Structure formats: structure tokens, C-alpha cells
């Protein structure tokens, strides 16, 4: 499980100088390997264990009436269009699956799906269902599933806007663009238990089951479902779970969502959950809550737990202290190997890792470390200070998290002890925390590569023979030729009103200008990684509004100028209208393209020019189309 | 019994003959005389067949056409179909606002005042849910179209010539002629009419038991509307052709002068106004219903704006576009109306093929799939429209 809770404070309150990582990146990781969509699986190749293709995935069967059912089997389609044949493959025969398709170890072409099963593509996909939550009728755009162990569990129907886009353009670019927008806010999932079909299905299916069925589902799946629910319902769902499970679910919910859940929950229950979850998680949750509420929650917690959490709350989230957990195993240096093992058995369930046992002296100073392997190999009565490794790699409490993560990776450690100025052991940072840190940093790096940062071009300029520089120049040339070709294609419009020519330089310059502005905004937002949906919605709106205003202004002014040059009312109007559309589109593109490019990651020098050419092409086409049409229609 | 079921077919037919229809026929009559009347005969049969198919699909499945397309073809093809429908319908909406502008300009009212005012009126009336009452008023005004029948007899045409023209095909590869042919097809069998009649049948809850009355309704509607179309062509052909090609509404009104003399302008203006008002409110509405139905977005004029934002968004944007385009100074209103019909004719085959696939799918239609005769006519229409579009494209390429 990935954690980056240090950021939630700012995601929620919007205060402080802390920058949250890109949500899209987070989602791509959290959901990428585990969440599956029916639409992306249909049509995938099914192979047998020898690697020869037996058919393509036509449908998936689930048991009717089951709650968040497991996929029972695949319906495969074999043969060409004339001699097509469908047969059923029980899930037990599926050996494995990946993005490319399925591998099965046993084929029986005469098998058919159980008549009572729901075939999801046939019976649900594209059909209308009643969303029992609010009793709205919606159309199923996709079916969302999650990998659970070796099986696939159906979570619900995706009825949101994104799912339409995903099915329209399942290509990598759009898929990533979607991921970039950050799934949660725009995805609308109707949980399986709240679905009810509108159309009479040939057999009697009752999909509707109670909320209690959440009990049977894996905590991260529950977290997933909770994230999709309306604000008011989340806490209610959590209330149905018993404490250990609720605590686990709570730690797995997205930080932004989680703090809203926490705020809705009763204090007594919440403090109970905080008490049983790992202290670093508890600290992260408390950090996102208003001060008053956090304080009263702490006062409700047990003294011991509260003091640990309070300690953790005191650290800057970007330091080793902020990342660390206090649940580690430490022993005194006089203990014997056998004693240590016994002790490990007792405390092992609580600790975050038991592979490293830290040895401290009477004052808590870290004196050495012992791996589980060393311990197992040691003779029972050996004293740990004799077998421990004294030269421990440590991190300082106030050290930057990135350095700590790098050190972990450099020394191939599973955890690194965190010590204070006096070398007293305070906690450990585990490898999964380090992965989080590195991913966040990687997100930043990608933004720098997005192809529009001026510094990148500077470095290239130093070398006149750099091939990338030539590639960029050639791209500009090609773009110019493309523009010429476009003018050729539209020469009829010009024949109708040669005076439109007056507008061409203006159209090109203005479109370029408008796109540069929104480009700058897009790059800035990307760079800071704050482009998550609620914020970016506002930014998008603001930028679109700006583009609109700029386009309006430019077209009105150029209309007046056009009147002077062309002395024709109609031509000036046609030119101005063309300009309006061209500039507007350029502005919008300037905002949208970097997001798309960021995912493709072209070379910086090429990326920027590619943008330029795209914007130019679109603005020329739209200018010529619109003004050409108007000129012609006025004939 | 008939009265309870009657309606969808007639309303669709009259709205289908909206302002752009009247104008298209006037222009064609004045420009090509009777030489395209044969196509109208074919289109009448096609229209009746397609309207019957739509009504039958509605009665059998209880679902709208957009819904059936989505469930039969999946998301991508549905998206394609909806884009086609959207383009075709927005074009018609623009044309209908052009009709509003043209008709009121006959009375000396500037379009810069009337069109925005009418647009707001339509928007408010439809979204506030009082449309069903107003619809009847528009329908009544539409009946003015019947005056073409009277006028048609008064110009004393050569009926033998008319009868011959109705059955004897005349063909030309002149792009203008092909465009006119496409416009006739696009006007008589517009894509939106199929969606509209089907959702009307579904809304009225007509099932297969009542279906025979509904069938009478749609067939009557189809024939009625095309008889009127025929008479518009007759009137303009015998009053204007070959002297004057209609380029303004004022000229088109001349076709009614045998009946109304100097009042022709008023009669024509009123008829055009009623027809365009009906279509200008019905077409955008039908568009947003269809699109929302296909994608599962909330729809219905009974909803609040915040509950069905996309529904109202599409509706409002179509109207807005209609207003904006019509208000472009110096734009030729008649040309806009013609362009819209040509565009519809070109896009028509796409929708027809979707319909034909569905109506022949026994899993959807059960025993009510198309008979061979209906299939033959329908496929000929679809292919014919496709070939016309292709011919236009090819001749257009050579004309470049």
C-alpha cells in the first residue's frame, strides 16, 4: 500500500507551501495493476498453455444474485466470422492473465455458460440500470472489477463520463490522459449491490444486496468503493465494519477522501480506530483534521498511543521523522539470541518489519542491528552484541526524505533506523515509504521533461550539432509545408475573397500568442503537480474564459482593422469570425496538449515545436474553414 | 381509438415539412420545374416505410432509437451515430431559425430583433414545460400549408404533365441537380424524424396491440406531408419556373399569389412562421433527448437545470447556434435552409443503415422484423441516398 499522507494537510486546507504529488500518477499506480475494466478486456486474445490462440474474449460470466461476485468464467469466441463459435471457460481453467490476454490450460469447446449466470457484456454493458442510490436511471458504460487474489471481483458499473472516453479512445494517450485527470472525482461507479437492471433479463436476477456485503470484501476494495460514494454515505458504510477492518479500510482510502470521512465520523469511534492503526497512519489522519478535532481525538486515545502519535505529528512530513513509524523491534544489547526470538514472537505482530532487530543500550542509543537471518543462525545462548552489525546505516530525524529514500535504495535495505542528534533510536523508515518518496520525486521530473521548459532548450543550444536541435528545425519546416498545403486546399475560399489574405499573418500570430499563454499556465500547473481535478477544473475554466475573452477582443479589433484594409464589410466579418475560432481553439489546445504530451514524453526540443505545429495547423484549418464558409455563404 | 393514438406521425410529418422544407421545395420547383418530382414519389414511399419501421421498433421494444442503437452497436458506433445526428440536427435547427427570420422579415421585422426574442420564447416555453399546449398552436398554424393545395389547383397546371413527371425519372450529373436531389431526400426523410416518431410512440406507451392504428397515423402523415410538398413544387414550377429562381422568401411567396393575390406574402409568411416555430422547438429537443438517451445522461424537460445539465446544454447550445448563424449580417437565409437539407441528405444513409440493422435483428424485434418488401424499399433508399452523396462528391471533385 502506498502512502503519501504528509500531503493531505494541504490537499484539504489548501494552505502551506507543501506540494502534493500528481493525483494521476498516484492513481495510475494504485489502480493500474489491480483495477480492471470489462471494456479493456473484451476482445483480448485467449491462448492455451502452448501459446496458440484459441479465441477472443467475448464475455465474462458472474453468478446472479451473488454479492460483489467473482468472475466465474470466460466466454470465448473462436473461428472466423462465418464459422464463429462461442464456448465457456471456467475460471478454474484460467492459468493467468495480463494486459495482452488470457492463458488457459484446458479447453472444452462444447461447454456453455450456466444458464442462470449473468453475462456482463450481453446483459449489462450499454444497458440501462437503476442506480438504487437515488433511484436514477443510468447507462452502464463499463464494468469495473478488481483483482482479488487469483480471481476477479466485480465492483460495480461505471456510469461516468470518463468511462465513455475510455471506450471511445482506449489508446495509450487517452488512457493516460484519463489517469492524469485523476480517476476519483469524475468516475461514477454504481456499486454492484446498488444496481438493478431496467430491462427484463430472461431470468430473474436480483442484484440488489445489502451494505453488509462489504464485510466479505477485501479492505482495499472497500476503500475503493467508499471513494466512489457520495460524501454523506461514506461514514455510514464504514460504520458497518468492525474495528480492525474499519481501521484498515481507513488507512487505504485516498487521503483527500479520507479526511472528509474522518470528519463525518463520531469522535469516539474514530479515536478507537486511530488507536489500533499504525501510529504513523494515525498521525497522518490527525494531521489533516482541524486542530480542535485532532486535539479532542488525541485526548480520547490511550495515553501511550497518543504520546507516540503526538511525537510523530511534531515532525515535518518531508523529513525522515515525518515518514517514520515507531513500530519497530528493539532489544537491549545484553539479550541472548534465544530470548530475542521469544521476544520477537510476542511483539512481531505489531511491528512494521521484523527482519531487522535494532539493538539499543540502556539510554536508547542505537548500538547495532541484527537481521532475522543472523538471529536464526546464531547459537541460542550467544549475546546479541556479539553477533550484531555495529556499523549501522542511519538517517537523521530532520533529514530530507529524498536523501533517506536514496540511502535505503543504495544499501538495498528493507528499513533504515531514524535517530536523533544524540543517536537515540526514534523510529524506522521502511522501503514502501521510500518507494512513495521516489515516485513523488519522479512525478516532478516528468513535468520537467514535458517539453516546454526553457532551461531544457538552453542546454541544447550549447551544441550546434546536437541532432535534437536539427530535428526541431526540420519539424518547423515540415509544419510550414503543412501550412502551405492547407492554404492550397482552401484556395477556393481565397478565390472568393482574396482580401482574406490580410488576415493570415494576424491569425497565425494571434493563435500562437494565445496558445503560448495557456501553454505557460498548463506547464506551470503540471510542474507543481497540483493539476488534480477540483483545482484543475477551476484553472481550466479560468483559462478557457481567458482564451474566449482574448479571441473576442482580437476578432473585434481585427474586424475594425479589416474594414480599413479590405473596405468590405463581409470580408472583414468573415476574417474576424475565422480569427475568433482559430484563436479560441489555439488557446484551448495550448492548455490541453501539454497534458497529453506529458504522457507521451517526447524530447523537450521536439515537444515544444510539435506543439507549435499542432497549434498552427489547427488555427489555420479553423480560420480557413470558418471564414471560407462565411465568404461562400454570402457568395 | 384512432384519435388516442394519432399524432406522432402527423406532427412529425408537419414539422418535417418545416420552414426549410417549404423553402427547399420552392427553390427546387422554381429552378428545376417538375423534373425532380419523380424523386418525391419515391421518397414518399421511403418515408412511409421508415416512419413505419421506427414506430414499429418503438412499439415492440418500448425504447427509443438512440437506446436501441447503443444496445445493439456498443459505445463507439453509437458515438458516431450521435455525432452524425447532432450535426444533421443542428443544421436543421439553424435552418429553422433562418425560417423564422425569413418569415418575419416578410412582415418587415428585422431579424436582429425577432430571432433572439423568438429563441428566448422557445427556450422558456419548452423548458418550463408548457410546450404541449403551445405545440397545438404551432400545429394549427402549420395547417396553412394546406393553402398550397388550393393554390396548386388555381394555377391550373397541366395535370398530365404532372402525372408523367411523378413517374418518369429525369437524371443529370450537374452538381446543382444532384444537390437538389439530395436536398429532397434530406427534407422528406430527415434523420431526426425517425428518432422523433419513435420516442413519441414510446412516450405514448403504444404497444403492438394498438400498433395498427399507429401505422395508419404514420402512413397518413407521410403521404399528407409529401402531397403538400408536391403542391409546393407545382405552384412554384408553374408560377416561377423557368423565369425566376427563388432566392428570397418574398419570391417564394409568389407561388401563393393565385390564391391570395397580394395577400400571398402574408399567407406564406404565416405558414412559414408556424412551420419553423414547430420545428425549431421540436428538433433541438429531440436531439438532446436522443443524445442523453444514448449515453445514459439524465434528460427530460421536467428536470431541473442542475439535474440534467447535458440535456439542457445540448438543447440550449443548438438554439444558440441557430441564432448566432442566422444573425450573421448579409447571410442568405434561403441558402442556409438549402444547405441544411443537403447536409441531412448526405448524412441520412448513416442513420438508415443503423435502423435497418436493428429492425432486422430478430433478437430485438422478435417476429416483427422487416418483411422483404419493406427491406427492399429501405435498402434502395439508403443506397440511393448514399449514391447521391457519392455522385455529389465525385462531381464536386471534378468541378474544383
Amino acid at each position: 500500500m502506498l502512502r503519501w499522507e504528509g500531503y493531505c494537510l494541504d490537499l484539504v486546507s489548501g494552505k502551506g507551501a507543501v506540494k502534493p504529488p500528481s493525483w494521476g500518477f498516484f492513481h495510475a499506480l494504485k489502480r493500474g495493476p489491480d483495477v480492471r475494466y470489462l471494456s479493456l478486456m473484451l476482445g483480448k486474445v485467449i491462448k492455451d498453455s502452448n501459446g496458440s490462440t484459441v479465441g477472443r474474449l467475448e464475455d465474462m460470466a458472474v453468478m446472479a444474485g451473488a454479492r460483489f461476485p467473482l468472475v466465474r468464467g470466460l466466454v470465448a469466441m473462436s473461428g472466423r466470422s462465418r464459422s464463429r463459435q462461442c464456448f465457456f471457460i471456467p475460471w478454474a481453467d484460467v492459468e493467468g492473465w495480463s494486459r495482452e490476454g488470457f492463458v488457459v490450460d484446458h479447453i472444452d469447446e462444447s461447454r456453455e455458460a450456466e444458464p442462470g449466470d449473468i453475462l456482463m457484456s450481453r446483459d449489462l454493458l450499454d444497458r440501462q440500470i437503476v442506480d438504487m442510490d437515488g433511484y436514477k436511471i443510468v447507462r452502464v458504460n463499463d464494468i469495473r472489477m478488481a483483482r482479488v487474489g487469483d480471481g476477479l471481483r466485480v465492483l460495480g458499473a461505471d456510469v461516468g463520463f470518463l468511462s465513455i472516453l475510455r471506450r471511445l479512445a482506449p489508446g495509450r494517450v487517452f488512457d493516460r490522459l484519463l489517469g492524469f485527470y485523476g480517476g476519483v472525482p469524475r468516475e461514477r461507479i454504481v456499486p454492484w449491490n446498488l444496481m438493478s437492471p431496467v430491462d427484463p433479463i430472461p431470468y430473474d436476477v436480483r442484484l440488489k444486496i445489502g451494505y453488509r456485503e462489504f464485510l466479505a470484501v477485501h479492505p482495499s476494495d472497500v476503500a475503493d468503493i467508499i471513494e466512489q460514494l457520495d460524501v454523506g454515505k461514506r461514514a455510514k458504510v464504514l460504520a458497518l465494519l468492525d474495528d480492525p477492518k474499519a481501521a484498515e479500510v481507513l488507512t487505504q482510502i485516498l487521503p483527500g477522501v479520507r479526511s472528509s470521512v474522518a470528519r463525518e465520523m463520531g469522535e469516539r469511534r474514530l479515536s478507537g480506530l486511530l488507536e489500533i492503526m499504525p501510529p504513523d497512519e494515525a498521525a497522518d489522519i490527525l494531521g489533516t483534521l482541524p486542530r480542535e478535532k485532532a486535539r479532542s481525538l488525541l485526548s480520547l486515545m490511550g495515553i501511550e498511543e497518543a504520546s507516540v502519535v503526538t511525537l510523530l505529528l511534531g515532525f515535518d512530513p518531508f523529513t525522515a521523522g515525518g515518514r517514520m513509524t515507531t513500530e519497530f523491534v528493539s532489544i537491549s544489547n545484553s539479550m541472548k539470541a534465544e530470548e530475542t526470538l521469544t521476544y520477537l514472537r510476542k511483539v512481531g505482530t505489531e511491528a512494521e518489519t521484523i527482519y531487522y532487530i535494532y539493538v539499543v543500550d540502556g539510554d536508547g542509543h542505537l548500538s547495532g542491528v541484527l537481521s532475522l537471518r543472523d538471529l536464526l543462525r546464531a547459537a541460542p545462548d550467544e549475546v546479541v552484541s556479539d553477533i550484531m552489525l555495529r556499523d549501522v546505516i542511519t538517517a537523521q530525524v530532520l533529514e530530507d526524505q529524498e536523501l533517506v529514500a536514496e540511502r535505503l535504495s543504495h544499501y538495498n535495505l528493507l528499513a533504515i533506523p531514524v535517530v536523533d542528534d544524540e543517536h537515540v533510536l526514534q523510529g524506522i523508515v521502511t522501503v514502501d515509504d521510500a518507494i512513495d518518496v521516489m515516485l513523488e520525486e519522479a512525478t516532478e521530473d516528468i513535468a520537467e521533461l514535458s517539453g516546454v521548459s526553457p532551461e531544457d532548450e538552453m542546454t541544447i543550444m550549447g551544441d550546434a550539432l546536437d541532432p535534437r536541435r536539427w530535428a526541431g528545425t526540420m519539424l518547423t519546416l515540415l509544419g510550414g509545408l503543412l501550412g502551405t498545403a492547407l492554404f492550397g486546399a482552401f484556395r477556393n475560399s481565397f478565390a472568393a475573397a482574396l482580401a482574406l489574405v490580410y488576415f493570415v499573418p494576424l491569425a497565425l500570430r494571434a493563435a500562437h500568442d494565445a496558445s503560448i499563454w495557456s501553454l505557460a499556465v498548463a506547464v506551470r500547473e503540471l510542474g507543481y503537480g497540483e493539476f488534480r481535478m477540483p483545482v484543475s477544473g477551476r484553472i481550466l475554466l479560468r483559462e478557457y474564459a481567458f482564451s474566449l475573452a482574448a479571441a473576442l477582443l482580437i476578432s473585434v479589433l481585427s474586424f475594425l482593422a479589416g474594414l480599413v484594409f479590405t473596405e468590405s464589410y463581409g470580408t472583414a466579418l468573415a476574417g474576424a469570425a475565422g480569427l475568433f475560432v482559430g484563436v479560441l481553439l489555439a488557446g484551448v489546445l495550448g492548455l490541453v496538449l501539454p497534458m497529453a504530451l506529458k504522457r507521451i514524453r517526447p524530447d523537450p526540443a521536439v515537444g515544444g515545436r510539435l506543439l507549435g505545429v499542432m497549434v498552427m495547423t489547427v488555427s489555420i484549418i479553423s480560420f480557413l474553414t470558418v471564414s471560407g464558409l462565411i465568404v461562400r455563404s454570402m457568395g | 381509438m384512432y384519435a388516442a393514438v394519432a399524432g406522432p406521425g402527423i406532427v412529425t410529418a408537419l414539422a418535417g415539412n418545416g420552414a426549410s422544407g417549404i423553402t427547399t421545395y420552392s427553390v427546387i420547383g422554381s429552378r428545376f420545374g417538375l423534373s425532380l418530382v419523380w424523386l418525391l414519389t419515391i421518397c414518399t414511399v421511403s418515408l412511409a416505410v421508415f416512419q413505419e419501421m421506427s414506430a414499429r421498433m418503438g412499439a415492440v421494444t418500448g425504447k427509443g432509437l438512440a437506446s436501441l442503437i447503443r444496445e445493439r452497436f456498443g459505445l463507439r458506433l453509437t458515438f458516431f451515430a450521435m455525432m452524425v445526428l447532432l450535426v444533421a440536427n443542428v443544421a436543421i435547427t439553424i435552418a429553422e431559425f433562418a425560417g423564422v427570420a425569413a418569415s418575419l422579415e416578410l412582415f418587415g421585422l428585422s431579424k436582429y430583433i425577432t430571432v433572439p426574442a423568438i429563441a428566448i420564447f422557445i427556450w422558456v416555453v419548452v423548458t418550463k414545460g408548457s410546450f404541449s399546449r403551445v405545440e397545438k398552436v404551432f400545429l394549427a398554424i402549420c395547417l396553412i400549408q394546406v393553402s398550397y393545395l388550393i393554390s396548386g389547383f388555381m394555377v391550373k397546371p397541366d395535370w398530365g404533365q404532372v402525372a408523367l413527371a411523378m413517374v418518369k425519372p429525369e437524371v443529370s450529373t450537374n452538381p446543382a441537380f444532384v444537390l437538389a436531389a439530395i436536398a429532397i431526400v434530406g427534407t422528406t426523410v430527415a434523420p431526426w424524424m425517425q428518432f422523433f416518431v419513435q420516442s413519441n410512440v414510446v412516450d405514448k406507451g403504444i404497444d403492438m396491440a394498438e400498433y395498427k392504428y399507429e401505422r395508419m397515423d404514420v402512413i397518413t402523415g407521410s403521404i399528407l406531408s409529401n402531397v403538400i410538398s408536391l403542391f409546393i413544387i407545382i405552384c412554384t414550377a408553374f408560377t416561377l419556373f423557368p423565369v425566376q429562381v427563388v432566392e428570397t422568401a418574398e419570391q417564394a411567396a409568389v407561388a401563393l399569389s393565385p390564391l391570395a393575390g397580394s395577400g400571398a406574402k402574408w399567407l406564406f409568411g404565416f405558414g412559414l412562421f408556424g412551420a419553423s416555430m414547430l420545428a425549431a422547438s421540436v428538433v433541438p429537443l429531440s436531439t438532446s433527448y436522443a443524445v442523453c438517451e444514448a449515453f445514459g445522461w439524465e434528460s427530460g424537460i421536467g428536470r431541473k437545470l442542475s439535474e440534467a445539465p447535458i440535456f439542457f446544454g445540448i438543447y440550449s447550445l443548438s438554439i444558440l447556434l441557430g441564432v448566432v448563424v442566422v444573425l450573421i449580417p448579409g447571410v442568405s437565409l434561403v441558402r442556409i435552409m438549402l444547405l441544411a437539407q443537403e447536409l441531412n441528405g448526405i448524412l441520412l444513409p448513416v442513420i438508415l443503415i443503423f435502423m435497418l440493422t436493428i429492425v432486422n435483428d430478430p433478437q430485438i424485434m422478435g417476429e416483427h422484423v422487416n418483411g422483404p418488401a419493406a427491406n427492399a424499399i429501405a435498402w434502395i433508399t439508403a443506397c440511393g441516398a448514399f449514391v447521391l452523396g457519392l455522385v455529389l462528391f465525385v462531381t464536386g471533385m471534378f468541378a474544383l
Side-chain angles (χ1 to χ4, degrees), chain A residues 51 148 171 215 225 252 265 287 297 309 411 437 450 513 592 611 621:
Chain A
V148 177
L215 290 174
I225 293 166
Q252 308 238 357
M265 289 173 69
L297 281 170
V309 172
Y411 292 102
V437 172
S450 64
D513 201 57
V592 173
L611 276 178
I621 291 183

Side-chain angles (χ1 to χ4, degrees), chain B residues 222-242:
Chain B
S222 307
I223 294 176
L224 175 71
S225 82
N226 281 8
V227 165
I228 293 175
S229 312
L230 172 69
F231 273 83
I232 298 175
I233 294 187
I234 291 177
C235 290
T236 48
F238 283 92
T239 49
L240 301 167
F241 178 76

Side-chain angles (χ1 to χ4, degrees), chain A residues 227-300:
Chain A
E227 283 160 18
Q228 320 299 341
L229 291 174
D230 289 341
V231 177
K233 295 213 177 60
R234 291 167 175 158
K236 279 186 209 146
V237 172
L238 213 54
L240 293 169
L241 305 172
D242 57 6
D243 278 0
K245 183 149 186 180
E248 204 175 341
V249 169
L250 201 56
T251 61
Q252 308 238 357
I253 300 177
L254 285 180
V257 177
R258 188 171 55 197
S259 60
S260 85
V261 177
R263 262 178 258 181
E264 282 167 41
M265 289 173 69
E267 289 196 354
R268 199 155 288 279
R269 160 94 168 165
L270 184 55
S271 71
L273 297 185
L274 290 173
E275 214 167 290
I276 56 175
M277 69 175 65
D280 55 332
E281 306 267 8
D284 290 334
I285 292 177
L286 283 171
T288 66
L289 295 175
R291 221 164 263 277
E292 258 78 302
K293 176 137 187 173
R295 198 169 295 148
S296 68
L297 281 170
L298 274 171
S299 69
L300 285 170

Side-chain angles (χ1 to χ4, degrees), chain A residues 124 126-141 157-160 188-190 194-199, chain B residues 70-71 292-298:
Chain A
L124 290 173
D126 292 324
R127 307 272 153 180
Q128 288 185 317
I129 55 164
V130 182
D131 177 358
M132 303 299 284
D133 166 26
Y135 294 93
K136 278 182 290 202
I137 291 185
V138 289
R139 207 172 271 285
V140 178
N141 294 324
D158 196 336
V159 299
R188 275 183 58 212
I189 307 285
V190 181
L194 297 179
M195 287 166 56
S196 176
V198 173
D199 297 327
Chain B
R70 172 72 189 264
E71 286 168 20
C292 290
E293 186 181 289
F295 294 114
W297 295 321
E298 290 217 25

Side-chain angles (χ1 to χ4, degrees), chain A residues 157-174:
Chain A
D158 196 336
V159 299
F161 195 74
L162 280 189
S163 49
I164 293 181
L165 287 183
R166 180 173 51 242
R167 281 182 67 192
L168 285 177
R172 295 188 87 88
V173 179
F174 279 82

Side-chain angles (χ1 to χ4, degrees), chain B residues 207-369:
Chain B
D207 57 19
M208 283 317 281
E210 299 163 315
Y211 175 65
K212 54 188 171 195
Y213 303 105
E214 181 50 42
R215 186 163 58 196
M216 275 163 61
D217 172 54
V218 290
I219 293 176
T220 320
S222 307
I223 294 176
L224 175 71
S225 82
N226 281 8
V227 165
I228 293 175
S229 312
L230 172 69
F231 273 83
I232 298 175
I233 294 187
I234 291 177
C235 290
T236 48
F238 283 92
T239 49
L240 301 167
F241 178 76
V243 185
Q244 168 136 51
V245 174
V246 169
E247 262 158 16
T248 64
E250 206 136 348
Q251 292 159 353
V254 175
L256 285 175
S257 57
L259 167 68
S262 57
K265 193 173 88 173
W266 291 88
L267 196 58
F268 178 80
F270 257 125
L272 195 64
F273 179 71
S276 40
M277 286 296 274
L278 185 64
S281 20
V282 161
V283 176
L285 203 58
S286 149
T287 317
S288 28
Y289 266 117
V291 173
C292 290
E293 186 181 289
F295 294 114
W297 295 321
E298 290 217 25
S299 58
I301 42 183
R303 304 262 171 206
K304 273 187 254 157
L305 198 69
S306 56
E307 287 173 334
I310 302 182
F311 174 77
F312 286 109
I314 295 175
Y315 177 71
S316 312
L317 267 182
S318 314
I319 290 186
L320 188 69
L321 256 169
V323 174
V324 168
V325 172
V326 168
L327 289 190
I328 293 172
V331 80
S332 159
L333 296 175
V334 169
R335 209 179 276 233
I336 289 183
M337 292 192 252
L338 262 178
L339 251 167
Q341 300 305 348
E342 290 160 6
L343 194 62
N344 265 269
I346 292 171
L347 295 177
L348 177 70
V350 178
I351 301 295
L352 293 190
I353 289 168
F354 277 106
M355 284 176 65
L356 273 167
T357 317
I358 293 172
V359 84
N360 282 311
D361 188 337
Q363 284 193 342
I364 298 171
M365 296 298 287
E367 54 178 321
H368 301 289
V369 291

Side-chain angles (χ1 to χ4, degrees), chain B residues 161-178:
Chain B
Q161 197 187 338
V162 172
L164 185 68
M166 280 173 71
V167 291
K168 180 174 161 275
E170 273 184 56
V171 186
S172 157
T173 54
N174 171 12
F177 187 88
V178 179

